[in-house]
Amino acid sequence: MRVMAQLAMVMNLDKCIGCHTCSVTCKQAWTNRTGTEYAWFNNVETRPGQGYPRRYEDQERWKGGWERTAKGRLRLRAGGRLTKLGKLFANPELPEISDYYEPWTYDYATLIEAPLGDDVPTAAPRSAITGEPTQPTWGPNWDDDLGGSTEHGVKDPIAEKLRDELGIQIKFEFEQSFMFYLPRICEHCLNPSCVASCPSGAMYKREEDGIVLVDQDQCRGWRMCVTGCPYKKVYFNHKTGKAEKCTFCYPRVEAGQPTVCAETCVGRLRYIGVLLYDADKVTEAASVADEHDLYPAQLDLLLDPHDPAVIRAAEAAGIPHDWLTAARRSPVYQLIHDYRLALPLHPEYRTMPMVWYIPPLSPVVDAVSESGHDGEHRDNLFGAIDALRIPIEYLAELFTAGDTEPVRRSLRRLAAMRSYMRAVNLGQETDEDIPASVGLTGEQIFAMHRLLALAKYDERY
Amino acid sequence: MRSPRKATNKGSENHHNEGPATAALLRLGRYLTRAESSADLHSVHLTGGREGDAFYRDRWSHDKVVPSTHGVNCTGSCRWNVYVSDGIITWESQDPDYPSVGPDKPEYEPRGCPRGASFSWYSYSPTRVRFPYARGVLVEMYREALKQHGDPVTAWASVMDDPMKRLSYQRARGKGGLVRVSWDEASEIAAAAHVHTISRYGPDRVAGFSPIPAMSMVSHAIGSRFMALIGAPMLSFYDWYADLPVASPQVFGDQTDVPESADWWDAAYLMMWGSNVPVTRTPDAHWMAEARYRGQKVVVVSPDYADNTKFADEWLAPHPGTDAALAMAMGHVILTEFFAERQVPYFTDYVRRFTDLPFLVTLTERDGAFVPSKFLTAADLGDTGAAEPQWKTVLVDDRTGEPVVPNGSVGFRWNEHDQGHWNLDLGDVVPRLSLLDDPGHEGVEVLLPRFDADGVLRRGVPAVERGGQLVTTVFDLLMAQYGVRRGELPGRWPSGYDDPAEPCTPAWQQEITSVPAERVTRIAREFAETAEASRGRCMILMGAGTNHWFHSDTIYRSFLALLTMTGCQGRNGGGWAHYVGQEKVRPLTGHQTLAGAMDWVRPARQMIGTAYWYLHTGQWRYDALRNDELASPLAPGSLAGTSAADTLAQSARLGWMPSFPTFDRNPLDLVDEADEAGIDPARHVIAQLREGKLGFAAEDPDAPENWPRVLTVWRSNLLGSSAKGHEYFLRHLLGTDANLRGEEAPPDSRPKSVKWRDTAPVGKLDLMLAIDYRMTSTTLFADLVLPAATWYEKHDLSSTDMHPFVHSFNAAVDPPWQTRTDFEAFHTIAKRFSELAERHLGVRKDLVATPMTHDTPGETAQPGGVVRDWRDGDVEPIPGVTMPRLTVVERDYPAVAARLATLGPLLEKLGATSKGLTYDVGEEVNWLRAKNGVATTGAGRGQALIDTDIKAADAVLALSGTTNGRLATQGFRDLEKRVGTELAHLSAEHEGKKITFADTRSRPAAVITSPEWSGSESRGRRYSAFVINVEHRKPWHTLTGRQHFFLDHDWMHELGEALPIYRPPLGSHHLSGGQGDAAEVTVRYLTPHSKWSIHSTYQDNLHMLTLSRGGQGIWMSPSDAEAIGAKDNDWIEAVNRNGVVVARAIVSHRMPAGTVFLYHAQDRAVNVPRSEATGKRGGTHNSLTRLLLKPTHLIGGYAQLSFGFNYLGPTGNQRDEVTVIRRRSQEVRY
């Protein structure tokens, strides 16, 4: 057992309002400079939608992450080291600027400087890269709030997959509308394919907290990391010629402050905490045959911070006392492990991502309510989960490689909490069957409620 | 959690057993590097090599962090940390340090949104106004004239007097050609224009527009104070923005008082109705998301799949503007099941005590039936012994069956005799809700209006004779209005919920809204059941989606009815939660005092903004809508044949609403004339009016002497954001090119009492002055542009409805380049103004005409709500009773600058007043003398200084109850005498607490419970409106002292709106969905609040443009897009009678067919090409809108229906508009 500590994040999508404050505060703090105009270390996607960069989840096209060979070994989907050497100068799996978007600006100065003419001055758009007149035709958030859905939404790789492989047709029609938001940062994976892709050895995962970084001195700009990352969260700075990525705000984290994106999240949905894991088992966990087993395998990697054996091994590995204390109090561990609410993003990429998500509830479809049933009432509660507007299969494709059971459990627990707490709210007697039906106790529901609803600053981070 | 920084860092480089060759390479590699590999070759552990990390550490390093906020009318009032490095603002992030709201609730941290997060982009952006600018054509002519005349005022006058010169610079407005000038020259031109206008035309021909004091109180107050000192009107904004819910003064006698967002947490049932909370209340949305986890049920009513629908348990999507039909049907269900079939003690007890439902209303015979008429008053009972019997309403005591006059109506509020009886104490009286309980009642048929179809309703109510008149109760009328059949009452009633023909059944609403009847029934039932179980913890969170319609007052009254009948008002977790506009200035009294210069001269001129723009931008000339088209089928006819301009003129004449300019003559000259003739100026005015020698300006708004001449706009982008009828502003107010396409009203649709001049004036304004930090339509069209400091470069105060704190703006850096704070800018102008005034103005006397005002004894001027016009000989013209109040005040023009900077002597003499309570502030004034220092010279000598923004902020805080516990407690003690119940304990815990500017700087400061507002924060309680009324029996500021379902003013009857009712949106008959030419579609045009801007702020910000579509975009449904052959991101044009918009199509299935959105507020300063339709630049979102005035908003002099600044006035609604949309050539030209 090789105990290592990892800083991880959980985002509760059920609380996300899609405001993009995280994106902007991150952008302002880190990437509002030449060379990184198009780079959003943190971005937020409306789903269904194509994401940023466009259709990054289509690994048939972009070859990100790992794949399992017939012999049960892992290899980079984009090819191993030898393949990579051959592609050093012409990497076909690299998104182009148009896949992100061509950053633009405007002739703002004309508003002040325009000489007397025949009409109102206006600031026309120009490319931020070439300076030439341009027209915005795609952006980092072009399909926000289902904008352009009938043209763009159908190209959502998950929607395609549901249609082609499961025969589930997502209807882009008014009456069937649904959406939710997916904020994304670097996953700071336990098994990072970007690091493995780097021919220069410029990428590394910090031992003390698991943050994945690009060494700005070592980077030679080969951009293999861009291809290697299935989440497309490594960016190429076209001015410095080096790769850049989300740093988990290490200058802040080291000073005891949460990341910018987390602290500025006005939905109060981000949690940061310490996880302990067994580094020796990462390869094995990432290599399980059945993709549905990847989420359980990833869970199994996590070590129980209360287990005396784990504590001893961690102390032996040099993990400081306060980190072990933090691991025991970790809100992230509770949400991932104790309540089984949070799920990893695309475990099938086999990178063992360390940003986890609580899936969103959504309005029940009219079919349930129109039959005169209250979707919130406990008798209808669990029936309602499968009648939510967001198809459960869609969420499963995001978080559990298609296995709907863990998603269903998570949503049921959220719904059970609401139903149970309603009685408390109205001063009525609680129904203990409700927590029991989702494998929890009333006390656990209260504790979960405290963490999810009250979500005090000191308990989020 | 803190990451340990180890002295020797280890790195790890992951590799995998990808294949034999790689594995061999890796195994080899183990021996080539001094690194430790894991057994499975998964990782290589390296030490050191982290020097490259320095890049991000350097990036993060900063010199200081300064707290500030954003002044942007978003209601956020969020606390931000501004980072400064090397004297440069680098970025901002939220300050999470708020006082806790308690251990059992979420917290306010971290407040903010993406727009605020992008603000620092403006600091150094290319759109930043760095220097003063002037219109080149104008400044050249001015300089030449100055050379010739030597005197700035004479020079200015000479340019204005030359029609060709005036035309030449007015025509140049908005077409570039701004040139840099110095602050000295800019302020001299501004001062000269002010002096000239006051001297030639009168101070009421100058105006100031700066909205929303709460978003930066000192910056607002300084300019407003300048205007008040010179006698210029300030224009209202809350009604103009259509953010004012007129239903609130109508029902509550209150401008707007709503719960803080933390109180959403207390709600057991939350309906979000026309309020897209994640987008428009971004920092507060989490309360809603979190409250669901304690079992709150969430219902969203929205015509589109709005962002908040994601959080809803149920989504109801009525057709836009039909919300009242849905609410009326919910009311039908609740009244049927919870009042008729079964009685809920909590509900009946509540409505008896706190609403007008038990009060008696007279019935008047009409066409063999009856119509509801007026509240029965003590005067009707012949009770002559009591004071003000006409203002005391009557109910029946259920125990005796006899009429009684309960305490609390407005008749108890102002007279000495009833001291201690203005309360809701009923003693042993049990108000009788329905006269069905009177054994002697007879069922009579009443006629009630309907607007959803032709005809009238005939429904029965129980009636008895009292005071010689046939009467019934408001409750009985309400049951008839909602179609709830009881007993053997006559009339035509719905056969059941499934009857679609009779209002207000669920089936009836389904035909109107498209929402399934059974869902409405179920939700209404759930709503009331929850209210019963939780004792009033149901909340309707309502917003601009339902408030910006022409008939929003009726929409809102239908919502308020649901809440009031279920006992949800005045309860934590319950009631209406209207959030449109950051109207809540928590330190109210102090701000009003400074902003109105009440310390030096009273009263200030305050004007209803909508009426001002309606007249002075010429929109009245295009308005062919006659009041007859709005009238009830049962209207007695007092508005017959009139149009909005007629009602405006009448309202001004009767002293209902303010009107500036007031008369067709300079009010300074009027006093001089009177003085010369040796008569009282008021009598002089009356005599002149009677003789027809003096007229009201509103009766001839196009006469050159009645034009507004000088307009100053600060803290606002009037033209690019709020200017409904934007193109009319350009043509008529400014005199420049416009895309206006409409035609003037035909002769038979023109006003009767307002003079029609054949040629509409073009270019009324002599000078438009804008103060801003960025370039907008307002600065582009202005003649003078002064460079303002941003919110990170000045000191100020901020407060909001949404949270109970007052906190500060602070200068992270000094104003860069030649920018100045608004505070400094007005002092600069005032100084030059005072110098020029020495020679040109001196000390003058001014005649100020003001309306009868709410929360003053003036609100009881015109009993019975009956229109009596002195011009028609109905009554004598008596100032302050049947016509405006006339006050002569002294204007010491050379002293304006000195007075601006000092706190005047009237405070110690007259105290400070708000909402009918006067505070003795002697101690506070002395404290300010000690703290701020005293002026040692000039006109303010001996007075406390308020010559810096921080000193002014401290004055605001010291003079308000919410921030000064001594005043709050003093106010409650005074109120106790009037009300007769104990109140002072509400603030006693904070009697010694005084919040200073320094306090607001270190942390947001929680305010103190104060009579300035109706809620209570005592002992850390969450703020909810009307808690003091419900818990301490303090009356609402209304006619009955209770919440009103019934409004009996003549004009309310005229429009058929005495009771809650559904009225369809205007313009629906124009909707075509494809008109002749297949390439165009006619759709409803809505401008909801945007995700990427706060009004027009941020919509030009590069970050927000990048995260959205990079310019104006019109959201439309796939079917509407298909109808015109448009794809996503195609260029399209929206064209109607008012103007043209050129935008990109954003096609989405979340939009309902037949409706498009152009999000508010899209200015034309970024990425707007020229239009195909006119060849000129496309417009703003308001290029397609035009003002329509609702006559009932102009009622005055009648209890809660009396004027107050931003309290009551016609709204600048803009939702009832349609437009044609076409796909245009995809080649665009800029």
Side-chain angles (χ1 to χ4, degrees), chain B residues 47-221:
Chain B
T47 303
R50 287 166 74 165
E51 293 76 17
D53 291 7
F55 175 78
Y56 296 101
R57 285 190 215 289
D58 289 347
R59 168 94 191 165
W60 178 250
S61 65
H62 46 265
D63 300 328
K64 65 171 177 176
V65 177
V66 179
S68 196
T69 182
H70 304 123
V72 64
N73 189 23
C74 58
T75 72
S77 185
C78 305
R79 180 87 159 177
W80 285 80
N81 281 326
V82 182
Y83 294 75
V84 180
S85 185
D86 265 348
I88 298 289
I89 292 165
T90 52
W91 63 78
E92 57 275 87
S93 71
Q94 293 103 307
D95 178 359
D97 184 20
Y98 288 83
S100 175
V101 302
D104 55 348
K105 292 182 169 67
E107 302 285 2
Y108 275 106
E109 58 83 17
R111 297 181 68 77
C113 75
R115 296 151 289 207
S118 70
F119 182 73
S120 59
W121 177 86
Y122 282 117
S123 306
Y124 311 107
S125 82
T127 185
R128 179 80 197 256
V129 184
R130 293 159 161 83
F131 308 98
Y133 289 90
R135 185 149 309 289
V137 184
L138 172 64
V139 85
E140 275 171 32
M141 293 189 295
Y142 171 77
R143 284 172 185 166
E144 197 185 318
L146 185 62
K147 233 181 270 171
Q148 196 184 334
H149 298 282
D151 176 80
V153 178
T154 319
W156 177 261
S158 77
V159 177
M160 295 309 115
D161 290 343
D162 183 332
M164 289 316 291
K165 285 184 177 170
R166 204 164 166 272
L167 191 69
S168 68
Y169 78 84
Q170 289 184 329
R171 294 282 301 159
R173 283 173 173 161
K175 295 173 184 167
L178 293 171
V179 297
R180 257 181 78 174
V181 294
S182 69
W183 267 96
D184 282 350
E185 188 173 24
S187 55
E188 179 177 284
I189 294 173
H194 280 84
V195 169
H196 167 68
T197 302
I198 291 169
S199 168
R200 172 83 60 90
Y201 302 105
D204 53 353
R205 273 67 174 172
V206 177
F209 183 72
S210 189
I212 321 293
M215 72 184 184
S216 52
M217 296 168 210
V218 174
S219 301
H220 172 269

Side-chain angles (χ1 to χ4, degrees), chain B residues 5-22:
Chain B
R5 279 187 71 180
K6 296 182 176 178
T8 55
N9 289 325
K10 284 182 185 172
S12 70
E13 188 186 346
N14 293 34
H15 299 288
H16 268 268
N17 40 355
E18 298 159 333
T22 311

Side-chain angles (χ1 to χ4, degrees), chain B residues 925-933 945 950-951 954 996-998:
Chain B
V925 172
N926 280 329
W927 181 82
L928 286 165
R929 281 200 175 93
K931 192 196 159 288
N932 289 355
L945 284 168
I950 291 178
K951 289 182 194 174
D954 267 321
T996 64
F997 182 78

